[in-house]
Amino acid sequence: MNPGVYNPKIYRGGTWTVDIQQDALDFSSYDEIRMQIRPPFVKGIPTKPALLELSLANGRITLAEENTVLRLTVSAADTAAFTFDSGVYDLELVTYGTPEVVDKLLYGKVSVYGEQTV
């Protein structure tokens, strides 16, 4: 699978929700769906732990519309606590097995904008 590029904007202190639709995919057929936002890499190597993790397990990724839509959600309380202004991410679809299969659906740069009203 060739991943698409999406560069999301997140507004600190606001709820961030994005729906990703793939009519040809039944997302429920994957064992794990995960996304991590990290500081930009140095020479392709992660230098710090993830700034934020989204997954089915932690509830920040959910399935909608007969499993053809991934809904990514980060609460207003979580975005208000962000201490970073930018990062990089990828969104992976994982099928367990031998070997494990990991398909990258999306990747890009995340920009976080400040909050004025508190």
Side-chain angles (χ1 to χ4, degrees):
M1 172 181 299
N2 288 326
V5 177
Y6 172 58
N7 297 316
K9 296 177 182 178
I10 299 175
Y11 296 92
R12 193 175 279 114
T15 301
W16 180 71
T17 302
V18 172
D19 285 351
I20 299 164
Q21 185 163 3
Q22 292 288 322
D23 291 330
L25 286 178
D26 178 355
F27 289 115
S28 68
S29 66
Y30 292 93
D31 296 311
E32 183 178 0
I33 301 172
R34 61 190 183 205
M35 175 179 158
Q36 293 184 336
I37 300 174
R38 293 183 170 274
F41 290 2
V42 175
K43 297 182 181 180
I45 300 169
T47 58
K48 297 182 181 177
L51 300 166
L52 181 71
E53 295 192 32
L54 293 83
S55 67
L56 291 171
N58 70 18
R60 290 184 173 139
I61 298 177
T62 56
L63 303 182
E65 300 189 30
E66 298 181 12
N67 301 321
T68 62
V69 172
L70 289 180
R71 182 162 292 140
L72 312 178
T73 305
V74 181
S75 72
D78 286 342
T79 66
F82 284 177
T83 58
F84 62 96
D85 294 324
S86 65
V88 294
Y89 81 95
D90 57 12
L91 177 63
E92 298 178 333
L93 310 173
V94 182
T95 303
Y96 298 141
T98 307
E100 178 178 87
V101 176
V102 178
D103 290 318
K104 291 194 184 296
L105 183 63
L106 289 173
Y107 71 96
K109 297 177 183 176
V110 174
S111 297
V112 179
Y113 294 91
E115 181 175 22
Q116 306 307 317
T117 304
V118 292

